[in-house]
């Protein structure tokens, strides 16, 4: 579930691989020369940045690079610890139960913090157990079909599905992912009925969409864009609030008549609940400063991530809004974790 502006077609995959490799090279402790400690915290003590996914994805690569920068500004070491599993909730549970002292952080995404809690029973409250720190960035998606599919617009796809209920299929990176949720939302907003085909990750889902084993999918922009540019996929719409600079001719979902269909996969940082406000404020300040680094901006562009930043309250509001949104979609669709 870790994906997602302009990347050239054939070199695109190579470029993304180089970006991932550069991020992966940071595996293990991110060591920086200690600077003078700021007050009582962090006082030179190591900070653990938990990523609830395996190494190499956008959440991991961005997390390592942001962590490196805040470690330098705080004058301490930041160790990135990958605690993957259960769609990100294993790592989230670890941080939820950690001491609220500013030495354990969660660099995560929308899945564990707004979707998974409505599909499985957790040992913690996904909102009350955390202090929001900052939004790192957002990843837009696009609705794509194979080049030989007959659908030229979203309306074409919906009309065909209504004419053949339960015949057309969409792929996702797995049950409970943001990619599945978008397919479910499309059904609920249009009344069309599709078959959901979950895969073990976004890449195999995209491969079968390219092979036209399924009719369509909602794909992270960075993953799908090279195939759209090469003509192997056709983009019918994007889920961002505005059109993408890389595909100015492709409308937003809002422009094709679905006003409430704005979906962006966000990356963010949380701390355990009751972490001191002064610590949260300092982390927020340093993360916002890190997001202005040209090198980090370039890395994010290659991953298809728009860096955001902002206040901790903005992250808290976003989490609550998206949690309520996807809870309704899951309930109305009677979606179960499998």
């Amino acid at each position: 579930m870790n994906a997602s502006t302009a990347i050239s077609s054939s070199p695109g995959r190579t470029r993304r691989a180089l970006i991932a490799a550069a991020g992966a090279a940071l595996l293990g402790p991110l060591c920086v020369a200690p600077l003078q400690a700021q007050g009582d915290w962090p006082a030179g003590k190591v900070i653990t940045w938990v990523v609830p996914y395996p190494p190499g994805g956008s959440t991991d690569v961005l997390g390592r690079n942001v962590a490196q920068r805040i470690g330098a500004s705080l004058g301490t070491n930041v160790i990135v610890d990958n605690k993957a599993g259960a769609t990100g909730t294993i790592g989230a549970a670890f941080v939820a139960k950690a001491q609220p002292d500013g030495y354990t952080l969660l660099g995560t995404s929308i899945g564990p913090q707004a979707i998974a809690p409505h599909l499985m029973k957790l040992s913690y409250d996904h909102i009350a157990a955390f202090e929001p720190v900052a939004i790192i960035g957002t990843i837009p998606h696009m609705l794509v079909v194979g080049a030989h599919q007959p659908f030229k617009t979203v309306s074409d796809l919906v009309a065909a599905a209504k004419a053949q209920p339960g015949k057309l299929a969409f792929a996702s990176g797995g049950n409970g992912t943001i990619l599945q949720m978008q397919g479910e939302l499309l059904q609920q907003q249009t009344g069309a009925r599709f078959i959901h085909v979950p895969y073990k990750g976004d890449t195999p889902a995209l491969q079968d969409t390219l092979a036209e084993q399924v009719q369509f999918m909602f794909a992270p922009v960075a993953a799908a864009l090279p195939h759209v540019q090469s003509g192997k996929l056709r983009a019918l719409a994007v889920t961002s609030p505005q059109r993408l600079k890389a595909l100015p001719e492709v409308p937003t979902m809002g422009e094709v008549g679905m006003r409430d269909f704005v979906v962006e996969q966000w990356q963010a940082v949380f701390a355990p609940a009751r972490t001191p406000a002064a610590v949260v404020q300092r982390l927020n300040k340093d993360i916002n400063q890190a997001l202005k680094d040209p090198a980090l901006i370039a890395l994010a562009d290659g991953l298809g991530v728009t860096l955001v930043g902002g206040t901790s309250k903005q992250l808290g509001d976003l989490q609550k809004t998206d949690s309520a949104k996807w809870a309704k979609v899951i309930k109305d669709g009677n979606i179960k974790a499998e």
Side-chain angles (χ1 to χ4, degrees):
M1 67 180 284
N2 300 320
S4 339
T5 290
I7 301 176
S8 60
S9 61
S10 62
R13 183 172 298 179
T14 301
R15 181 180 172 187
R16 289 196 307 277
L18 289 173
I19 291 168
L26 294 170
L27 290 174
L30 292 169
C31 299
V32 297
L35 304 177
Q36 185 173 356
Q38 304 292 322
D40 295 331
W41 176 91
K45 185 177 177 181
V46 172
I47 296 172
T48 299
W49 180 295
V50 174
V51 174
Y53 302 111
S58 59
T59 305
D60 177 71
V61 173
L62 279 175
R64 290 176 182 277
N65 280 271
V66 173
Q68 183 181 41
R69 286 161 174 79
I70 67 168
S73 64
L74 289 170
T76 191
N77 294 334
V78 178
I79 296 176
V80 174
D81 185 5
N82 295 87
K83 292 186 179 297
T87 65
T89 60
I90 289 177
F94 178 85
V95 176
K97 298 169 184 176
Q99 288 295 316
D101 52 14
Y103 295 106
T104 307
L105 305 174
L106 177 67
T108 187
S109 71
I110 186 174
Q113 300 304 103
I115 298 174
H118 307 295
L119 290 167
M120 59 183 70
K121 186 175 182 180
L122 302 177
S123 61
Y124 59 92
D125 185 307
H126 67 290
I127 292 177
F130 299 96
E131 295 290 344
V133 177
I135 303 169
I136 292 179
T138 58
I139 302 170
H141 296 83
M142 62 175 77
L143 195 169
V144 294
V145 300
H148 299 102
Q149 294 294 326
F151 320 114
K152 306 298 184 184
T153 67
V154 176
S155 295
D156 290 345
L157 179 64
V158 170
K162 288 184 175 180
Q164 306 174 73
K167 295 292 185 180
L168 304 185
F170 74 94
S172 83
N175 288 304
T177 62
I178 188 65
L179 304 190
Q180 179 197 3
M181 293 300 109
Q182 291 171 93
E184 300 290 347
L185 184 59
L186 180 63
Q187 293 190 106
Q188 293 177 21
Q189 288 200 1
T190 64
R193 303 307 303 168
F194 302 103
I195 299 171
H196 172 226
V197 183
Y199 290 80
K200 293 183 178 180
D202 296 356
T203 298
L206 186 61
Q207 289 172 342
D208 264 15
T209 305
L210 282 161
E212 306 200 24
Q213 297 299 310
V214 293
Q215 279 67 49
F216 73 100
M217 73 175 290
F218 286 90
V221 167
L225 184 59
H227 304 296
V228 173
Q229 292 173 328
S230 69
K232 295 178 181 178
L233 289 176
R234 182 183 305 119
L236 304 186
V238 294
T239 65
S240 49
Q242 295 86 31
R243 295 191 183 199
L244 302 179
K245 291 181 180 179
L247 296 170
E249 72 283 1
V250 178
T252 66
M253 292 293 284
E255 288 175 323
V256 300
M258 285 170 243
R259 301 296 178 190
D260 297 326
F261 206 116
V262 176
V263 179
E264 292 184 297
Q265 178 181 340
W266 41 263
Q267 313 273 342
V269 183
F270 293 82
R274 298 179 301 282
T275 296
V279 172
V280 172
Q281 290 168 5
R282 176 61 195 270
L283 285 167
N284 176 272
K285 175 185 175 183
D286 286 357
I287 290 171
N288 274 279
Q289 186 60 40
L291 299 182
K292 298 176 183 178
D293 186 323
L296 186 60
I297 293 171
L299 175 67
D301 283 346
L303 293 168
V305 179
T306 300
L307 299 181
V308 176
T311 67
S312 57
K313 182 180 184 302
Q314 287 172 321
L315 171 56
D317 290 345
L318 176 63
Q319 183 193 19
K320 291 173 185 176
T321 297
D322 275 1
S323 179
K325 174 181 180 175
W326 297 117
K328 184 177 187 304
V329 170
I330 289 166
K331 180 179 179 181
D332 291 350
N334 193 30
I335 303 168
K336 307 294 183 182
E338 296 179 11

